[in-house]
Amino acid sequence: MQNTITLIFILLLKIGYSQNSIINGVLLDKNTNESLSYVNIGVLKKGIGTVSKSNGSFSLNIKHIQETDTVKFSALGYKPLIFSVKNLVEKLNNNPNLKMEENIEVLDEVIIVSKKEWKEKTLGSETKSTSMTMGFSSNLGSELGRRINISRKHTHILKFKANVALNTYKSIKLRLNFYTIKNGLPNEKINRENIYVNFFDKSGSLTVDLEKYKLVVSDDIIVTLEWVDNYGDGQFRISSRLGTSGIKQKDASLDSWRTLPFTLGYNILVRY
């Protein structure tokens, strides 16, 4: 009899998940109660994820996942939140607000190297191809990136450029990320604050001035664009070409990275 009751409970729980396949909540700063925009939200190892909206609200489809799967909330400058699907559903049913705690880090010492003469150089690809292009997946939080080789210590990143082959959105909001490399794939973020860029044109150069972010690197990096928001419906395509650096791609927030046998029209202006 007890086994029968347990089985019925499990079936009802699964039916409940299938009927309520979308879970909703709001992400807030624990200390200020301010909403947290564009937080990465993902089901680990499932390729399912999204980002929170500008007002901190989020919706996540859990129809095709198990109650024991893990959901992670991750934002630059905050401690991650990690729940099982079952615990997350229960928590949101009691209170739709999830609060994230700021992660106070001691910044590494910045070494200023005095040189009589600085050199500037463009690294990466400047392709403007419209026949070979790459777009994001259908999920907010998807990323597209490429490796850029750094040959000098204390290289200052001054500017980022990409060539947009096609944009049919009224506007699209992207997050620019810089990563260290492990096993050929993105590892840890280098930038300590979010770098956002809005693009409104139909095509052309997407340029980000980076001098105020004080990005200094001494090893190879991977630079990515992450889709976090848009206005209207449409497509967004970035110029690409055949190349050995490979496109680093993930389909959703906190998804696994993969490499495709092409390279993107990304380049950075550096000073060393």
Side-chain angles (χ1 to χ4, degrees), residues 19-238:
Q19 290 176 342
N20 303 290
S21 58
I22 305 296
I23 57 174
N24 301 285
V26 180
L27 288 160
L28 303 173
D29 183 291
K30 185 177 181 179
N31 294 322
T32 66
N33 278 327
E34 293 180 354
S35 59
L36 295 178
S37 306
Y38 313 123
V39 174
N40 291 110
I41 306 162
V43 183
L44 300 186
K45 300 180 180 180
K46 293 290 184 178
I48 298 171
T50 186
V51 297
S52 61
K53 296 181 180 179
S54 58
N55 62 359
S57 65
F58 68 89
S59 297
L60 183 67
N61 192 331
I62 60 170
K63 183 176 181 179
H64 300 296
I65 59 180
Q66 303 297 316
E67 62 183 67
T68 54
D69 284 333
T70 301
V71 182
K72 183 176 180 179
F73 298 79
S74 178
L76 204 58
Y78 287 86
K79 295 178 181 178
L81 297 177
I82 300 174
F83 303 95
S84 69
V85 172
K86 178 182 178 182
N87 288 342
L88 179 59
V89 171
E90 291 173 351
K91 189 172 182 65
L92 292 176
N93 284 338
N94 291 327
N95 185 344
N97 295 330
L98 295 179
K99 296 189 177 183
M100 299 186 73
E101 183 179 354
E102 191 175 2
N103 186 23
I104 306 298
E105 293 184 353
V106 178
L107 299 180
D108 295 335
E109 181 182 3
V110 177
I111 300 173
I112 305 298
V113 180
S114 177
K115 289 190 177 182
K116 292 182 179 179
E117 189 175 330
W118 292 92
K119 294 183 179 180
E120 292 189 358
K121 186 176 182 180
T122 298
L123 306 176
S125 171
E126 298 182 77
T127 181
K128 297 181 180 179
S129 172
T130 56
S131 59
M132 186 175 292
T133 63
M134 192 70 188
F136 295 106
S137 76
S138 59
N139 300 307
L140 290 176
S142 61
E143 287 184 64
L144 291 171
R146 62 156 293 162
R147 182 179 185 135
I148 294 182
N149 297 326
I150 304 295
S151 59
R152 304 273 184 164
K153 290 186 176 181
H154 310 301
T155 295
H156 297 243
I157 304 176
L158 307 178
K159 191 175 291 185
F160 167 83
K161 285 186 178 181
N163 191 73
V164 178
L166 174 68
N167 174 42
T168 59
Y169 291 106
K170 292 183 179 179
S171 68
I172 185 168
K173 190 180 191 76
L174 305 167
R175 178 159 46 202
L176 179 61
N177 299 313
F178 293 86
Y179 292 93
T180 60
I181 301 174
K182 184 176 181 180
N183 299 325
L185 296 174
N187 187 29
E188 296 182 351
K189 281 187 182 178
I190 296 169
N191 46 301
R192 297 185 180 275
E193 55 185 303
N194 289 308
I195 304 171
Y196 294 112
V197 55
N198 294 293
F199 193 81
F200 302 92
D201 299 331
K202 299 297 183 185
S203 62
S205 178
L206 183 156
T207 303
V208 186
D209 189 339
L210 297 169
E211 289 204 58
K212 70 176 182 179
Y213 297 101
K214 309 297 182 186
L215 296 171
V216 182
V217 295
S218 296
D219 297 304
D220 295 352
I221 60 172
I222 290 175
V223 56
T224 75
L225 285 173
E226 178 187 2
W227 175 32
V228 297
D229 206 353
N230 60 271
Y231 178 59
D233 296 321
Q235 296 183 61
F236 185 81
R237 310 286 301 181
I238 300 168

